[in-house]
Amino acid sequence: MEPFRHTLKDQTPLYVFVAVLFLMGVVFGALMVNALTLEQQQDLSRYLGDFFISVNEGGESFQPLTYWEVAALHLKWLGLIWLLGLSVIGLPGILILDFLKGVLIGFTVGCLVGQFTWKGLLFALVSIAPHNLVVIPALLIASVAAVSFSLGIIRSRVLLNRKGTAARPFLSYTGLTVAMALVLMAVSSFETWVTPVMMTWVTPLIAQNSL
């Protein structure tokens, strides 16, 4: 327990940096909505309106992803972070992924709120927020581990010119990534079977305005 506390204390600046980077992505994504042209906004509004009507009526165009499709999306993102953490040149890529994740969420929520105001926010709270309350921390923890591992390689091999084995840090890094993978697989079940049901609770409010 004590080593874990020391590790957490040492990595606190990294956690803060990665979290701020993600939040900057969210803000940037939300601001991107305002940059859309009038035609793009109309197309987006039409698409969202058709989507909500389809969800409300149980149309064929609303086909929730299967469990393995949802899990694969999260695991691919996690796997890419893990791979980038294995090399020094992959360090900027990890930070870019965290920023892009924030942009995607910010843009999605911004579109919903921009088009449907409080109803869009309510839909975002039931369709986007619940599983991301677990997914985002899991990915940020994996990102910090990846950045820390990559920085460890730089310090030991490049700056200090040490030739010690990297087996123990690698196993620790990989073990944490596997743990986050299990977390993501668990939350994928919620996203697969619970989130679509919650979406159908809210869509009637929005679909009425889209008819």
Side-chain angles (χ1 to χ4, degrees):
M1 192 69 180
E2 195 66 28
F4 175 76
R5 290 177 181 173
H6 284 303
T7 301
L8 185 62
K9 185 177 180 180
D10 292 340
Q11 293 183 344
T12 297
L14 277 179
Y15 277 105
V16 172
F17 177 73
V18 171
V20 169
L21 190 65
F22 169 77
L23 291 174
M24 288 174 60
V26 172
V27 173
F28 184 78
L31 293 176
M32 282 177 62
V33 178
N34 297 325
L36 295 176
T37 64
L38 180 60
E39 184 179 355
Q40 289 173 329
Q41 291 180 9
Q42 290 174 341
D43 290 341
L44 182 62
S45 179
R46 193 178 304 111
Y47 170 80
L48 290 174
D50 292 342
F51 171 76
F52 288 127
I53 292 173
S54 179
V55 174
N56 190 42
E57 297 178 351
E60 293 183 359
S61 59
F62 175 61
Q63 302 250 342
L65 296 176
T66 66
Y67 170 78
W68 289 113
E69 287 174 331
V70 173
L73 288 173
H74 295 315
L75 293 178
K76 285 177 183 177
W77 200 281
L78 179 67
L80 188 54
I81 291 174
W82 179 78
L83 285 173
L84 291 172
L86 294 178
S87 63
V88 176
I89 59 174
L91 183 57
I94 300 168
L95 304 179
I96 291 173
L97 282 178
D98 292 330
F99 182 78
L100 286 178
K101 191 68 174 179
V103 170
L104 290 173
I105 292 177
F107 183 79
T108 304
V109 175
C111 286
L112 289 169
V113 174
Q115 296 294 329
F116 303 102
T117 60
W118 68 269
K119 294 179 182 179
L121 179 61
L122 181 61
F123 184 81
L125 288 175
V126 300
S127 64
I128 299 174
H131 60 271
N132 274 309
L133 289 175
V134 178
V135 171
I136 297 305
L139 292 178
L140 293 184
I141 289 172
S143 296
V144 170
V147 171
S148 181
F149 182 79
S150 185
L151 290 176
I153 294 176
I154 296 173
R155 283 195 297 264
S156 63
R157 300 297 174 83
V158 179
L159 299 180
L160 302 179
N161 198 25
R162 292 177 180 173
K163 297 182 179 180
T165 177
R168 186 173 179 181
F170 172 77
L171 290 176
S172 177
Y173 167 50
T174 303
L176 187 142
T177 303
V178 170
M180 292 303 102
L182 294 176
V183 170
L184 292 177
M185 291 180 70
V187 78
S188 293
S189 61
F190 180 92
E191 188 177 353
T192 303
W193 293 296
V194 180
T195 297
V197 176
M198 295 171 66
M199 289 167 61
T200 59
W201 296 345
V202 179
T203 45
L205 293 173
I206 305 175
Q208 290 175 359
N209 296 339
S210 301
L211 291 172

